[in-house]
């Protein structure tokens, strides 16, 4: 059976609400700059009311990556949970407009509302995320349609969902269905604190189930309990076939078998860093799914990350396939 989808993702279905702010506003509101904080429903309502120039977009890390892949012309699908409420219906419609199939039925009469994240963007481009997880964190194996997982050429998992046992079960179910049908599965580690909380399970997943893993310096070092990135990457290369490490403005490291590639990035002052890692993953997975070599996969990731930090919002606004062409990475459009 030929794959129905190039890339299928499992992740948090979160509506992003973005607003500009300065550091004094963050201090007044008790928002810690540059990190993601989980908040309760009441706090979410307070922060939403305090936002002046709101921009709304469908978000969630893996969903952002899938939107980037859809922008590049690949057929993608998303597995996750939204409630059948106004934000949930908005989310499903917005995914479709970005070229991604939402394959689950919105949950009627759900106890929790659709998830949302208030993102305050500072003048230096740093993003301070305040996320109410709502119903999206309840993803479980029942949210994995077998025909979708089996129809995936590449499966992409969001590490944030590893915080709950039902999320772990969903990952294993989808991964085994995908790989049994001839696909590849991988994960973005997502958050060093999540890795800290579930290190043994993450280590087992990386070593025994994953074909590729994407993480940043802090996530890889957390996974292998070391302050030495090279030591962490050496362990990772033993555990996993394909290892990718992003380094916040420094060269991206990609390791597969005995091959190690370092892809340079061009340092710029970001307008909004939201989605940089998500769009790096989109470019990287585009290269992987279309049979590019390791260096080209990395370069495509860097180009997509560079595009998204040049404007507000976590999804591309420029024709990224044309950017690939300009860089000599594809010969023709389409």
């Amino acid at each position: 059976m030929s794959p129905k989808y190039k890339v299928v993702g499992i992740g948090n279905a979160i509506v992003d609400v973005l607003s500009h702010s300065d550091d004094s506003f963050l201090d007044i509101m008790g928002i810690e700059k540059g990190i993601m904080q989980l908040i309760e429903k009441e706090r979410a309502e307070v922060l939403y009311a305090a936002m002046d120039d709101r921009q709304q977009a469908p978000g969630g890390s893996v969903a952002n990556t899938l939107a980037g892949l859809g922008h590049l012309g690949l057929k993608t699908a998303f597995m996750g949970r939204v409630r059948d409420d106004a934000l949930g219906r908005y989310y499903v419609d917005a995914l479709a407009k970005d070229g991604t199939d939402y394959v689950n039925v919105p949950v009627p009469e759900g106890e929790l509302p659709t998830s949302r994240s208030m993102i305050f963007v500072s003048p230096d481009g740093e993003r301070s995320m305040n996320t109410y997880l709502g119903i999206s964190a309840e993803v479980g194996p029942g949210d994995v349609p077998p025909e979708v997982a089996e129809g995936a050429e590449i499966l992409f998992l969001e590490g944030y969902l590893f915080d709950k046992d039902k999320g772990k079960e969903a990952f294993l179910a989808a991964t085994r269905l995908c790989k049994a049908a001839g696909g590849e599965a991988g994960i973005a580690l997502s958050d060093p604190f999540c890795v800290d909380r579930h290190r043994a399970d993450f280590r087992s997943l990386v070593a025994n189930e994953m074909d590729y893993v994407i993480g940043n310096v802090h996530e890889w070092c957390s996974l292998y309990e070391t302050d030495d990135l090279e030591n962490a990457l050496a362990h990772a290369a033993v555990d996993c076939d394909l290892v990718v490490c992003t380094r916040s403005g420094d060269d991206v490291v990609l390791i597969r078998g005995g091959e190690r590639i370092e892809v340079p990035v061009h340092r710029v002052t970001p307008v909004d860093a939201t989605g940089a890692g998500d769009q790096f993953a989109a470019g990287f997975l585009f290269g992987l799914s279309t049979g590019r070599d390791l260096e080209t996969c990395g370069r495509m990731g860097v180009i997509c990350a560079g595009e998204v930090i040049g404007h507000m919002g976590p999804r591309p606004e420029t024709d990224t396939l044309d950017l690939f062409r300009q860089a000599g990475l594809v010969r023709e459009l389409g």
Side-chain angles (χ1 to χ4, degrees):
M1 180 182 73
S2 60
K4 180 179 179 181
Y5 296 104
K6 277 288 189 178
V7 182
V8 172
I10 305 177
N12 280 301
I14 300 174
V15 177
D16 287 337
V17 187
L18 296 99
S19 175
H20 288 101
S21 66
D22 56 26
D23 290 353
S24 63
F25 174 86
L26 299 181
D27 289 340
I28 291 169
M29 299 302 295
I31 298 169
E32 189 169 349
K33 183 177 179 179
I35 69 166
M36 192 277 285
Q37 294 177 301
L38 296 179
I39 59 175
E40 298 301 323
K41 182 180 178 182
E42 293 74 17
R43 172 74 166 161
E45 291 170 348
V46 169
L47 293 182
Y48 183 84
M51 302 178 96
D52 288 331
D53 55 338
R54 302 185 193 103
Q55 294 183 27
Q56 184 169 290
S61 180
V62 161
N64 288 337
T65 296
L66 294 175
L69 287 163
H71 192 76
L72 286 162
L74 297 192
K75 182 65 174 174
T76 61
F78 178 81
M79 292 184 270
R81 286 176 74 84
V82 299
R83 185 174 172 177
D84 188 12
D85 55 18
L87 279 181
R89 291 187 290 273
Y90 161 79
Y91 194 89
V92 172
D93 290 344
L95 280 190
K97 289 178 181 177
D98 284 331
T100 297
D101 289 345
Y102 181 88
V103 298
N104 304 98
V105 177
V107 179
E109 304 297 328
E111 294 182 7
L112 297 172
T114 296
S115 309
R116 73 289 311 269
S117 182
M118 274 62 63
I119 303 173
F120 296 90
V121 183
S122 303
D124 60 2
E126 277 285 357
R127 66 199 191 283
S128 305
M129 303 172 67
N130 299 265
T131 303
Y132 170 58
L133 287 178
I135 200 171
S136 71
E138 300 302 312
V139 169
D143 299 304
V144 178
E147 68 278 8
V148 177
E150 291 170 349
E153 181 177 301
I154 293 176
L155 181 70
F156 187 41
L157 310 175
E158 182 176 319
Y160 287 123
L161 283 178
F162 218 59
D163 250 338
K164 292 192 175 183
D165 288 343
K166 62 177 69 175
K168 297 174 185 178
E169 293 168 9
F171 282 3
L172 289 176
T175 294
R176 291 168 183 175
L177 286 166
C178 173
K179 295 182 72 167
E184 294 181 282
I187 190 170
L189 295 176
S190 296
D191 180 71
F193 302 109
C194 187
V195 173
D196 283 341
R197 290 191 293 271
H198 305 280
R199 184 174 292 107
D201 286 341
F202 266 114
R203 288 282 296 270
S204 176
L205 188 75
V206 168
N208 300 316
E209 306 285 351
M210 297 292 97
D211 297 297
Y212 66 92
V213 181
I214 303 172
N216 64 26
V217 174
H218 306 295
E219 292 154 4
W220 283 118
C221 287
S222 172
L223 187 64
Y224 292 102
E225 296 184 273
T226 178
D227 293 327
D228 183 342
L229 177 62
E230 290 304 317
N231 182 30
L233 293 180
H235 283 292
V238 172
D239 283 350
C240 187
D241 291 340
L242 176 52
V243 172
V244 182
C245 179
T246 59
R247 301 193 289 176
S248 299
D250 293 326
D251 294 359
V252 176
V253 179
L254 303 98
I255 304 170
R256 180 167 56 191
E259 181 183 18
R260 176 179 171 134
I261 299 293
E262 296 194 15
V263 176
V265 302
H266 301 289
R267 284 183 171 271
V268 297
T269 300
V271 172
D272 172 19
T274 307
D278 305 337
Q279 295 312 319
F280 172 86
F284 167 78
L285 290 174
F286 177 86
L288 191 66
S289 70
T290 54
R292 263 69 179 193
D293 60 58
L294 201 57
E295 180 177 1
T296 301
C297 291
R299 290 180 64 192
M300 287 177 164
V302 167
I303 287 171
C304 288
E307 188 279 337
V308 80
I309 66 174
H311 57 76
M312 284 285 287
R315 300 188 173 192
E317 294 182 353
T318 306
D319 186 337
T320 42
L321 196 61
D322 188 47
L323 296 179
F324 292 168
R325 182 186 61 78
Q326 294 175 37
L329 301 181
V330 296
R331 292 186 178 181
E332 59 185 30
L333 298 180

